[in-house]
Amino acid sequence: MKVGIVGYGNLGKGVESAISYTKDMELVGIFTRRNPKSIKSNIHTTVYSIDTLYEMKDAIDVLILCGGSVKDLPKQTKQYAKDFNVVDSYDIHDQILDHFNAVHQASIEGKHISIISVGWDPGLFSLNRLYGQAVLPNGKDYTFWGKGVSQGHSDAIRKIDGVVDAREYTIPMQEVIDKIKSGEDLSISNKDMHRRECFVVVKEGSDVKKIETEIKKMPHYFEGYQTSVHFISQEEMNMKHKNLSHGGCVFRKGITGSKHLFHQVMEYRLTLESNPEFTASILVAYARAAYRLANEGQIGCKTIFDVAPIYLHEENRKELIKKLL
Amino acid sequence: MKVGIVGYGNLGKGVESAISYTKDMELVGIFTRRNPKSIKSNIHTTVYSIDTLYEMKDAIDVLILCGGSVKDLPKQTKQYAKDFNVVDSYDIHDQILDHFNAVHQASIEGKHISIISVGWDPGLFSLNRLYGQAVLPNGKDYTFWGKGVSQGHSDAIRKIDGVVDAREYTIPMQEVIDKIKSGEDLSISNKDMHRRECFVVVKEGSDVKKIETEIKKMPHYFEGYQTSVHFISQEEMNMKHKNLSHGGCVFRKGITGSKHLFHQVMEYRLTLESNPEFTASILVAYARAAYRLANEGQIGCKTIFDVAPIYLHEENRKELIKKLL
C-alpha cells in the first residue's frame, strides 16, 4: 500500500519512521505547505509541495494527515476526505462528533474511507474505556495522564506578560492510583487525580511572585489544581525540558457476582519516550486498516471503535489465530 | 436480546450474574445435562433439561456455551452453531484453529454467527498482543500469568500416586517484570518468567520426598521451572486454597524513530478476584456482539480479532464518541 504524509512536524516525522518499520507500506512522499526545498527528510523521502497532491491522487492509497487539531485538521481532513482515504489524529475531545459528521459527509460524497481521532487519547485509551465498560458494566473508570508535557498548558503560561518560555508537566497523583488499585471506591475529578509542575523562563526584572500567582489562579488550566512553579534560565529549559516523553493509564474497576461479590480491575498503561512517535505508530496501523476497509468497498468516516482489530496487523487471520490468540 | 446458558458450573453461574448487570439482555434459561430439578439457580433463572433446547430455538437470540474446553466445547460448539448464534470460551491455544474451522463450517451451514475463544487468554490478552504488535512492529511482547491457580497443573499433581488433593499457583517473577519495565531487552521463555507453587494433600504414610521429586521433574508441567511444594492438610486446603482469583499482564515493548530511537511500552494488566466471573463477563459482552452481527446478516465463525469494539457496548456510536472517545 502506498502512503502519503501531509505535514512534516514531529508527528509527520514519526509517521515517516513508523512506515519504515512496516513490511507492507511504501511512502510515496511528504506534502508540505512550506517550500519543499527548505525541508530535508530524516530518511530521504521525497518532499512535494502540497499543491501537487491532487496530481498524485492515483499514486496514493492512504493519506496520513499530520497537522494540528486547532487550525489544520478541521479544514484539511474534510477537504482531503473527498478524494483520498485519510487518517487523522484530531484530539479536541468535545468537538470530535462535529468533526466526525463533517468528515463523514465528505468521505461518503467521494466514496472513500476516513478514520479520525486516532492516537492514544483519543485512541487506545478510549478503546480501553470502551472494553472496560462493556466487560464490567457495574464499575467505574479512571484515566490518568502523565507524567508528560501538556502543550496546551505550556502555551497558556507563555501568554502571560513577562514570560519568555514555559513548559508544563501533568503528573498523576501516585497516592490516588494506589488507593484505586487497593480497591477504594473514589468519586474524584481530574483536579484531584493530577498535579501540575511548571518550568518558566521570564524577562529580566519581571515580578515572579505575580507571575506565579497568575499561573496558579488561571481558570480551567490551573485553578483548583495542586500546582508548583519553578523559574529557570533559558539554558536550563533547553537542556532539561525538551524531551517529548509522556504516558498515562486507564483503570476500569468493576464488581461481578450475585451471591458473592468480586472486585475486578483492568489496567492499561503507556510509558512513552516519545509521544509524537507513538501517536504516529498508531496512525500508521490505522492507515493499514483504512486501506483494507477501502478495498472491501466500505465508505464513510470511522473511529477506532468501528475498526476490528484484525485490520491493524500485517499478518492474516490464520497466522494471527495460531500465533496470538 | 434473549440469551440462553448451556452448562451451570462456575462459568455458567458467572454468565448468569453478568447478564443481571446488563440493561439490554434477558436470560431465557439455563440448559443442563443434569436433572434440572437438582439445580438451584443463584438468581432464580429457570433451569431446563438440555433436551428441550431445540424446542426453545426461536426464543433464544444467543446461546452462551459454558462447558469445559477438553470434553464439552469441541462437540457442543459445532453442534449448536448450526441452529443458534453461539459464543464459547474454548481455551486450548494450539487447537483453536481446528476448532475455528469446524465451528465456522457449522455456522455457515446454519447461517448463524459464532464467536469462539472469548475470555482473557485467549481473549483480551490476545487482543493486547495484537494491538501491541500492530502499533509497535519493531518490538517484543511478554505475557505473564498469575498469581492464580492453574487447573491443568493442579490436575497433573492429583494424578500422582498418593496425592489426595492439590492446587498449583502460577506466579510471575516480579524481578523479570521489573527488568522488562526498566528497559532491559530479555529473550526468555515462560520457564524464566514464572515460578510454580504447589499445595498438596497426601494419603497418610505417603513418601512425601518421592512425591515432591515426582512433581518437580514432571515434563512440560514443572521440569525447568522454579517449583516449591508444600504438604498441607485437607482442612487447610479447604480453608485457604479455594479462591478463584487470577490475573496477569501483557507487555509490548517497542522501538520507534529514525535519527533518534525511543523506547515505548504498552502494558495491560488484569487483577481478578474471580477468574470465572470475569471470563463470564467477557462472554456476555461478546454475546451482545454476536446478536448485533447476526442482525446485520453476517454469518460464520469470528474471533475477538474480528469483532469491532463498538459491537460490545450497550450505547450507540454517537454516545460513545461523546463520552468515551
Side-chain angles (χ1 to χ4, degrees):
Chain A
M1 52 177 291
K2 289 165 184 149
V3 180
I5 294 174
V6 174
Y8 199 63
N10 284 331
L11 191 60
K13 287 173 190 166
V15 168
E16 181 188 31
S17 74
I19 289 173
S20 76
Y21 288 111
T22 66
K23 295 192 198 90
D24 56 350
M25 294 190 194
E26 185 194 322
L27 184 51
V28 175
I30 293 158
F31 297 87
T32 179
R33 285 171 296 194
R34 291 177 274 171
N35 176 0
K37 286 181 186 152
S38 72
I39 292 175
K40 205 173 139 33
S41 132
N42 279 341
I43 47 178
H44 313 296
T45 310
T46 313
V47 183
Y48 299 95
S49 162
I50 190 81
D51 301 330
T52 66
L53 184 58
Y54 284 93
E55 294 165 28
M56 296 182 63
K57 203 178 127 177
D58 295 336
I60 297 169
D61 294 315
V62 182
L63 210 51
I64 302 182
L65 304 174
C66 300
S69 291
V70 176
K71 290 182 182 166
D72 304 324
L73 298 176
K75 290 178 200 161
Q76 283 182 351
T77 310
K78 71 179 175 196
Q79 180 188 342
Y80 298 129
K82 216 169 153 183
D83 295 283
F84 296 89
N85 300 310
V86 298
V87 181
D88 83 12
S89 64
Y90 185 80
D91 67 359
I92 302 176
H93 287 266
D94 58 6
Q95 287 166 41
I96 292 176
L97 192 59
D98 292 339
H99 187 60
F100 177 89
N101 289 332
V103 175
H104 184 61
Q105 202 188 329
S107 294
I108 292 286
E109 266 180 50
K111 297 202 170 87
H112 282 96
I113 275 283
S114 47
I115 310 180
I116 60 152
S117 298
V118 171
W120 59 275
D121 200 354
L124 300 180
F125 272 19
S126 323
L127 269 183
N128 276 278
R129 289 187 286 260
L130 187 152
Y131 279 113
Q133 291 188 7
V135 170
L136 298 172
N138 180 32
K140 270 193 186 143
D141 48 54
Y142 305 89
T143 301
F144 291 90
W145 298 272
K147 182 184 174 178
V149 169
S150 159
Q151 210 53 60
H153 288 80
S154 303
D155 288 345
I157 300 173
R158 279 192 212 103
K159 284 184 185 135
I160 294 174
D161 211 39
V163 171
V164 175
D165 199 358
R167 191 62 55 111
E168 187 271 358
Y169 295 92
T170 304
I171 305 169
M173 303 276 214
Q174 190 56 47
E175 59 272 29
V176 178
I177 297 181
D178 292 343
K179 275 185 191 168
I180 290 171
K181 289 183 78 165
S182 77
E184 271 192 57
D185 203 11
L186 302 175
S187 282
I188 49 173
S189 74
N190 275 345
K191 292 187 182 185
D192 302 315
M193 291 162 68
H194 299 90
R195 61 187 179 88
R196 305 201 173 280
E197 192 164 19
C198 314
F199 294 86
V200 184
V201 181
V202 294
K203 273 187 209 141
E204 239 189 84
S206 298
D207 181 346
V208 294
K209 221 52 226 146
K210 185 165 163 270
I211 290 173
E212 180 170 345
T213 307
E214 205 167 329
I215 293 171
K216 289 184 173 173
K217 292 201 167 161
M218 200 185 295
H220 308 302
Y221 286 94
F222 295 97
E223 199 182 25
Y225 282 92
Q226 185 186 316
T227 302
S228 60
V229 179
H230 310 277
F231 293 96
I232 60 172
S233 67
Q234 187 68 58
E235 291 68 41
E236 190 176 342
M237 178 69 82
N238 296 346
M239 218 162 61
K240 293 191 185 163
H241 300 286
K242 289 296 177 196
N243 95 62
L244 301 164
S245 67
H246 215 309
C249 52
V250 175
F251 288 95
R252 178 73 181 176
K253 283 180 54 188
I255 287 175
T256 63
S258 49
K259 278 188 163 176
H260 303 284
L261 298 182
F262 299 98
H263 290 86
Q264 320 273 17
V265 184
M266 304 163 79
E267 180 183 345
Y268 185 73
R269 182 180 298 277
L270 297 173
T271 311
L272 311 173
E273 280 188 357
S274 167
N275 180 4
E277 286 277 346
F278 187 71
T279 301
S281 299
I282 307 170
L283 279 167
V284 167
Y286 280 87
R288 178 177 296 118
Y291 174 70
R292 291 172 172 179
L293 289 166
N295 281 351
E296 287 180 4
Q298 295 205 44
I299 61 170
C301 187
K302 309 279 176 191
T303 71
I304 49 157
F305 296 153
D306 303 297
V307 177
I310 198 158
Y311 289 103
L312 303 172
H313 199 290
E314 288 185 3
E315 299 253 32
N316 64 36
R317 173 177 288 106
K318 194 177 154 187
E319 291 304 309
L320 290 173
I321 289 177
K322 283 206 295 199
K323 292 178 190 164
L324 296 186
L325 192 59
Chain B
M1 54 177 290
K2 287 164 186 153
V3 180
I5 293 174
V6 175
Y8 198 62
N10 284 332
L11 192 59
K13 287 173 189 164
V15 168
E16 182 188 30
S17 75
I19 288 173
S20 76
Y21 288 112
T22 66
K23 294 191 198 91
D24 56 350
M25 294 191 193
E26 185 194 321
L27 183 51
V28 175
I30 293 157
F31 297 86
T32 178
R33 286 170 297 195
R34 292 178 273 172
N35 176 1
K37 285 180 188 154
S38 73
I39 291 174
K40 204 173 140 33
S41 133
N42 279 340
I43 46 178
H44 314 295
T45 310
T46 314
V47 183
Y48 299 95
S49 162
I50 189 82
D51 303 328
T52 66
L53 184 59
Y54 285 93
E55 295 164 26
M56 294 183 63
K57 204 177 124 175
D58 295 336
I60 297 170
D61 293 314
V62 182
L63 210 50
I64 302 182
L65 305 174
C66 299
S69 291
V70 176
K71 290 180 181 165
D72 304 323
L73 299 177
K75 290 177 199 161
Q76 283 182 351
T77 311
K78 72 179 175 197
Q79 179 188 342
Y80 298 129
K82 217 169 150 183
D83 296 284
F84 296 89
N85 301 310
V86 298
V87 182
D88 83 12
S89 63
Y90 185 80
D91 67 358
I92 303 176
H93 287 266
D94 58 6
Q95 286 165 43
I96 291 176
L97 193 59
D98 292 340
H99 186 61
F100 177 89
N101 289 331
V103 175
H104 184 61
Q105 202 188 328
S107 293
I108 292 286
E109 266 180 51
K111 298 204 169 83
H112 283 97
I113 276 283
S114 47
I115 310 180
I116 60 152
S117 298
V118 171
W120 57 275
D121 200 353
L124 299 181
F125 272 19
S126 322
L127 268 184
N128 277 278
R129 289 187 286 262
L130 188 152
Y131 279 113
Q133 291 188 7
V135 170
L136 298 172
N138 180 33
K140 271 193 185 144
D141 49 55
Y142 305 87
T143 301
F144 291 89
W145 297 273
K147 181 185 176 175
V149 169
S150 160
Q151 209 53 59
H153 288 80
S154 303
D155 288 347
I157 300 173
R158 280 191 211 101
K159 284 183 185 135
I160 294 173
D161 212 38
V163 171
V164 175
D165 198 359
R167 191 61 55 111
E168 186 272 357
Y169 294 93
T170 304
I171 304 170
M173 303 275 215
Q174 190 56 47
E175 58 272 30
V176 178
I177 296 182
D178 292 342
K179 275 185 192 167
I180 290 170
K181 288 184 77 166
S182 77
E184 271 192 55
D185 203 11
L186 302 174
S187 281
I188 49 172
S189 73
N190 275 345
K191 291 186 184 190
D192 303 313
M193 291 161 67
H194 299 90
R195 61 189 181 84
R196 305 199 173 282
E197 191 164 21
C198 313
F199 294 86
V200 184
V201 180
V202 294
K203 272 186 209 141
E204 239 188 85
S206 298
D207 182 346
V208 294
K209 223 44 231 150
K210 184 163 164 271
I211 290 173
E212 180 170 344
T213 306
E214 205 167 327
I215 293 171
K216 288 184 172 173
K217 293 200 167 161
M218 198 184 296
H220 308 301
Y221 286 94
F222 295 96
E223 199 181 24
Y225 282 91
Q226 185 186 315
T227 302
S228 60
V229 180
H230 310 277
F231 293 96
I232 60 172
S233 67
Q234 186 68 58
E235 290 69 40
E236 190 177 343
M237 177 68 82
N238 296 347
M239 219 163 61
K240 293 190 186 161
H241 300 286
K242 289 296 178 195
N243 96 62
L244 300 164
S245 66
H246 215 310
C249 52
V250 175
F251 289 95
R252 179 72 182 177
K253 282 180 54 187
I255 287 175
T256 63
S258 50
K259 279 191 162 173
H260 303 283
L261 298 181
F262 300 98
H263 290 86
Q264 319 274 18
V265 183
M266 304 162 79
E267 180 183 346
Y268 186 73
R269 182 181 297 277
L270 297 173
T271 310
L272 312 173
E273 279 188 358
S274 167
N275 180 4
E277 286 278 346
F278 187 70
T279 301
S281 299
I282 307 170
L283 279 167
V284 168
Y286 280 87
R288 178 177 296 119
Y291 173 70
R292 291 173 172 178
L293 290 166
N295 280 352
E296 287 180 3
Q298 296 206 43
I299 59 170
C301 187
K302 310 279 176 190
T303 71
I304 49 157
F305 296 153
D306 303 298
V307 177
I310 200 159
Y311 289 103
L312 303 172
H313 199 290
E314 287 185 3
E315 299 253 33
N316 65 37
R317 172 177 289 107
K318 195 177 152 187
E319 290 303 310
L320 290 173
I321 289 177
K322 284 205 295 197
K323 292 178 190 165
L324 296 185
L325 192 59

